[in-house]
Amino acid sequence: MDPKHNRKPFVGGNLKMNGSRAMLKEIIDRLNPLKFDDYVEVAIAPPSIFLDLAHRSVRKGVNVAAQNAFNCTKGAYTGEVSPEQLKDLGIDWVILGHSERREIFKESDELVASKVGHALKSNMKVIACIGEKLEERESEKTEEVVIRQLQAIAVKVDDWKNVVIAYEPVWAIGTGKVATPQQAQDVHLIIRDWLAKNISEKIAQDTRIIYGGSVKGTNSQELAKQLDVDGFLVGGASLTEDFIKIIECFIPSEN
């Protein structure tokens, strides 16, 4: 059997610092009637102030994710939110290590890894993001950078069943540029091979590796056909009806 068939596709919508209650309602109203549960796992990640509203509004089967979490349970960390607080709110997923956190807020590999480890120990599920900058790709350092980031995270992971890896080339995020299907497949295979050699073959085959970087309804179909692309982390398109098209590329047409 194609090993991909053992991995349920995952599509996450990262709303970033966008939207309002009204916009969130529109997004959820588009998602709730859609019958995708048997074919793809879906999550939306609104700004933190809307997490409770989203959690109360989505139907069962639609996950809500936080866009970030800190690596401590509580304390004098003004403006931060802990995984334990997210769990108390009913939130089970969190995005960690997104390139905007790494670049704008200067989060190091070590801090991202620490956040991943703490979130997992708090029984949260993690979308762990890795990816190279344009100059790193152009200088042929993609594999070096991606494996460095992955290795830091892997040290903090005891149980991989709650981890989704998101490969997000920084040069393709919000730029309109997108990795070609072959470019995405090549890096996803590098990630899966590293997991096989350094963690286990089973974890390598079971772990979902999703792509993020200017994913749209127009390019998702071809990307989704790649053997090691198990879904998407969607940015701007998650704010529009295009998000539904991206989800639907994993639903058999007869349904």
Side-chain angles (χ1 to χ4, degrees):
M1 178 184 290
D2 180 348
K4 186 168 182 172
H5 293 164
N6 296 325
R7 301 189 294 268
K8 189 173 187 178
F10 184 97
V11 176
N14 180 11
L15 278 57
K16 306 189 181 182
M17 197 179 72
N18 292 301
S20 60
R21 288 181 296 172
M23 179 184 280
L24 184 61
K25 182 178 186 302
E26 290 178 5
I27 293 169
I28 291 172
D29 285 349
R30 287 194 291 263
L31 277 175
N32 279 348
L34 197 62
K35 296 179 180 179
F36 52 72
D37 304 50
D38 291 340
Y39 306 104
V40 56
E41 187 170 8
V42 172
I44 56 169
S48 59
I49 58 171
F50 298 136
L51 282 169
D52 186 49
L53 174 60
H55 178 62
R56 289 186 282 107
S57 302
V58 296
R59 69 164 173 81
K60 184 179 179 181
V62 179
N63 299 296
V64 178
Q67 296 179 15
N68 186 37
F70 199 48
N71 60 347
C72 293
T73 301
K74 60 182 180 179
Y77 305 108
T78 301
E80 292 292 342
V81 176
S82 73
E84 290 83 356
Q85 290 169 327
L86 293 170
K87 288 291 289 186
D88 187 52
L89 204 60
I91 307 302
D92 293 323
W93 283 92
V94 60
I95 300 170
L96 295 171
H98 192 281
S99 66
E100 289 157 5
R101 297 299 312 178
R102 293 176 184 268
E103 294 301 307
I104 299 171
F105 300 98
K106 308 304 178 187
E107 293 191 2
S108 65
D109 293 349
E110 292 72 25
L111 177 57
V112 170
S114 177
K115 286 184 171 189
V116 170
H118 186 75
L120 291 171
K121 284 181 171 60
S122 304
N123 296 314
M124 291 203 76
K125 300 175 183 180
V126 173
I127 303 166
C129 302
I130 57 179
E132 82 282 10
K133 303 176 193 176
L134 181 60
E135 59 268 27
E136 291 167 335
R137 171 164 280 272
E138 290 178 341
S139 58
E140 300 183 350
K141 292 183 178 178
T142 295
E143 181 171 355
E144 175 187 331
V145 172
V146 166
I147 295 307
R148 186 196 75 221
Q149 295 171 343
L150 177 60
Q151 192 166 19
I153 290 168
V155 171
K156 300 293 185 178
V157 178
D158 293 323
D159 188 348
W160 285 87
K161 73 177 185 296
N162 289 328
V163 178
V164 170
I165 298 170
Y167 167 58
E168 293 201 307
V170 181
W171 49 271
I173 298 174
T175 63
K177 296 179 181 179
V178 62
T180 66
Q182 189 60 54
Q183 284 175 321
Q185 166 61 22
D186 288 347
V187 181
H188 283 227
L189 182 57
I190 287 169
I191 294 166
R192 204 173 303 283
D193 283 348
W194 187 90
L195 290 173
K197 292 171 183 174
N198 295 275
I199 309 298
S200 79
E201 182 65 38
K202 178 171 172 42
I203 285 170
Q205 291 306 322
D206 290 348
T207 299
R208 291 173 291 184
I209 306 171
I210 63 177
Y211 171 79
S214 297
V215 179
K216 300 178 177 64
T218 53
N219 58 34
S220 58
Q221 285 276 2
E222 288 304 310
L223 285 161
K225 291 177 183 177
Q226 302 304 306
L227 180 61
D228 291 291
V229 175
D230 302 315
F232 303 110
L233 185 56
V234 184
S238 67
L239 304 171
T240 72
E241 293 182 8
D242 224 23
F243 191 49
I244 303 303
K245 295 178 183 177
I246 294 167
I247 294 169
E248 287 177 337
C249 80
F250 293 104
I251 302 175
S253 56
E254 63 268 22
N255 292 280

